[in-house]
Amino acid sequence: MADAHRLVEDLLELSEKDGLSSMATRLVDRYRLLVTRLAARLGIGAFLDELVGDFAEYMSYLLIASGGTLEPRVGTPVFLSSEDHELDFEPLSHKVFQVSRADLLRDAEVVGVVTELLDRHERRRK
């Protein structure tokens, strides 16, 4: 418990001093340490690198998301939702797909829509 409390204090200090990126790196390092210690006990040794890699990717996603806002820099933001997700605000542009939340980013229709939106955005920038 004392170690966990120290980690929290260290993370808060890192976020103030070096920003969120350092904090994310420290979390990934701690996750790697904990998963390595538990791998044999849980029988997940073969998946260790994949677990740590997935966690590192999630931290990267959170870092990117932390820089975002709902204020558009250019154009109108488009919100993509799964069938079971309800927004707590009314966006100007909202597309709902008939897939579960877990499958939203795997769905071929969603991939097509995102690709088209990105292509359209790129054409406008040129």
Side-chain angles (χ1 to χ4, degrees):
M1 288 299 282
D3 188 44
H5 287 289
R6 273 192 305 279
L7 175 63
V8 170
E9 291 171 12
D10 290 347
L11 290 172
L12 291 173
E13 185 178 312
L14 272 175
S15 71
E16 291 174 7
K17 185 173 66 172
D18 297 329
L20 293 176
S21 180
S22 295
M23 194 167 121
T25 300
R26 181 72 183 272
L27 281 170
V28 170
D29 290 344
R30 178 54 66 99
Y31 183 79
R32 180 180 292 111
L33 176 69
L34 293 173
V35 170
T36 301
R37 287 180 180 171
L38 293 173
R41 196 178 296 171
L42 298 175
I44 58 171
F47 302 105
L48 182 63
D49 290 338
E50 184 179 343
L51 286 171
V52 173
D54 288 348
F55 186 74
E57 286 179 22
Y58 181 63
M59 288 292 107
S60 294
Y61 164 77
L62 290 177
L63 283 171
I64 291 168
S66 72
T69 68
L70 292 179
E71 297 299 319
R73 295 183 183 149
V74 176
T76 302
V78 178
F79 291 84
L80 309 178
S81 296
S82 61
E83 62 188 353
D84 52 350
H85 180 76
E86 293 183 29
L87 297 176
D88 56 358
F89 61 95
E90 189 62 41
L92 293 175
S93 183
H94 183 210
K95 298 183 183 298
V96 179
F97 296 89
Q98 298 305 306
V99 296
S100 69
R101 179 179 178 194
D103 291 327
L104 183 66
L105 297 178
R106 294 183 192 110
D107 185 75
E109 182 183 4
V110 175
V111 170
V113 168
V114 169
T115 301
E116 174 58 33
L117 290 168
L118 291 173
D119 287 346
R120 192 179 317 154
H121 176 72
E122 189 61 31
R123 286 191 300 271
R124 283 187 205 147
R125 289 182 59 210
K126 291 181 178 181

